[in-house]
Amino acid sequence: MTSSTWQDFREAEPAFSDTVQKRFQQYKHQVLATLRKDGSPRVTGLEVEFRLDDMWLGMMPNSRKALDLRRDPRFALQANPGPDAEMAHGDVRISGRAVEITDPAVLARFVEAVTPPQPFLLFRAEPAEVVRTGLDGDDLVVQVWRPGLPLRTLRRGNDDSPPREA
């Protein structure tokens, strides 16, 4: 899995990254999936911060999700779908690696910007895939970004025809 920084994503696809970030910022809590020691998935709530040109995942020390990420940094994150079935701004997901931050200077800058509850652990999210799924009329539209590749847009109708590149 090739990952990149949030800033790399922003530079590669500024409009798409803005759409994704705004979707995550609609609600305070998101849904994080990590891998347990036995390889099975663990899903939990999480707050996401977009600061200092990066995407950050903060959590309590010794929380199950923190222990999962320390053991295996792979994650998937889904933006909170919201209070109803409409999802007017689409479904947004990011998968990648979470890198634990131990540099005191970076931690201090984050604390100054966010004032998180203490104590806390901080991970920088490195996206390997960003996906937005939405509706356009009767078509399901899926946008997919991966590091080093152009943004792909696939459209699929409500029939048996294969998805088509837009």
Side-chain angles (χ1 to χ4, degrees):
M1 166 175 30
T2 301
S3 59
S4 65
T5 67
W6 185 258
Q7 188 60 30
D8 292 338
F9 173 47
R10 288 187 60 77
E11 289 172 8
E13 293 295 337
F16 185 51
S17 68
D18 283 347
T19 298
V20 169
Q21 183 171 332
K22 285 176 186 171
R23 180 64 184 82
F24 271 100
Q25 291 174 323
Q26 281 186 293
Y27 299 98
K28 183 174 180 136
H29 296 99
Q30 318 306 327
V31 180
L32 175 71
T34 58
L35 295 170
R36 298 172 191 252
K37 196 181 302 186
D38 68 3
S40 63
R42 181 188 317 274
V43 178
T44 186
L46 178 81
E47 295 177 32
V48 175
E49 290 287 338
F50 294 90
R51 308 271 180 152
L52 310 170
D53 293 329
D54 268 308
M55 180 179 167
W56 304 98
L57 313 174
M59 55 200 75
M60 294 170 37
N62 296 316
S63 64
R64 295 291 181 190
K65 58 190 160 197
L67 296 175
D68 287 347
L69 290 173
R70 280 181 159 171
R71 186 182 51 262
D72 186 332
R74 293 176 294 170
F75 74 91
L77 185 67
Q78 180 170 6
N80 185 323
D84 54 33
E86 297 304 312
M87 289 187 32
H89 300 287
D91 175 44
V92 175
R93 298 176 309 278
I94 297 173
S95 59
R97 294 174 27 89
V99 176
E100 185 173 1
I101 302 302
T102 57
D103 181 325
V106 175
L107 290 168
R109 285 192 357 249
F110 184 82
V111 167
E112 185 178 316
V114 178
T115 317
Q118 299 286 337
F120 76 103
L121 293 178
L122 184 63
F123 294 83
R124 183 183 64 243
E126 293 185 347
E129 181 179 70
V130 181
V131 179
R132 181 181 180 275
T133 304
L135 294 173
D136 182 15
D138 290 336
D139 281 353
L140 182 70
V141 179
V142 181
Q143 295 173 287
V144 180
W145 177 84
R146 292 185 180 111
L149 299 174
L151 179 65
R152 291 184 66 201
T153 301
L154 304 167
R155 298 180 78 86
R156 187 170 59 208
N158 205 12
D159 55 22
D160 291 337
S161 60
R164 54 199 187 280
E165 194 93 25

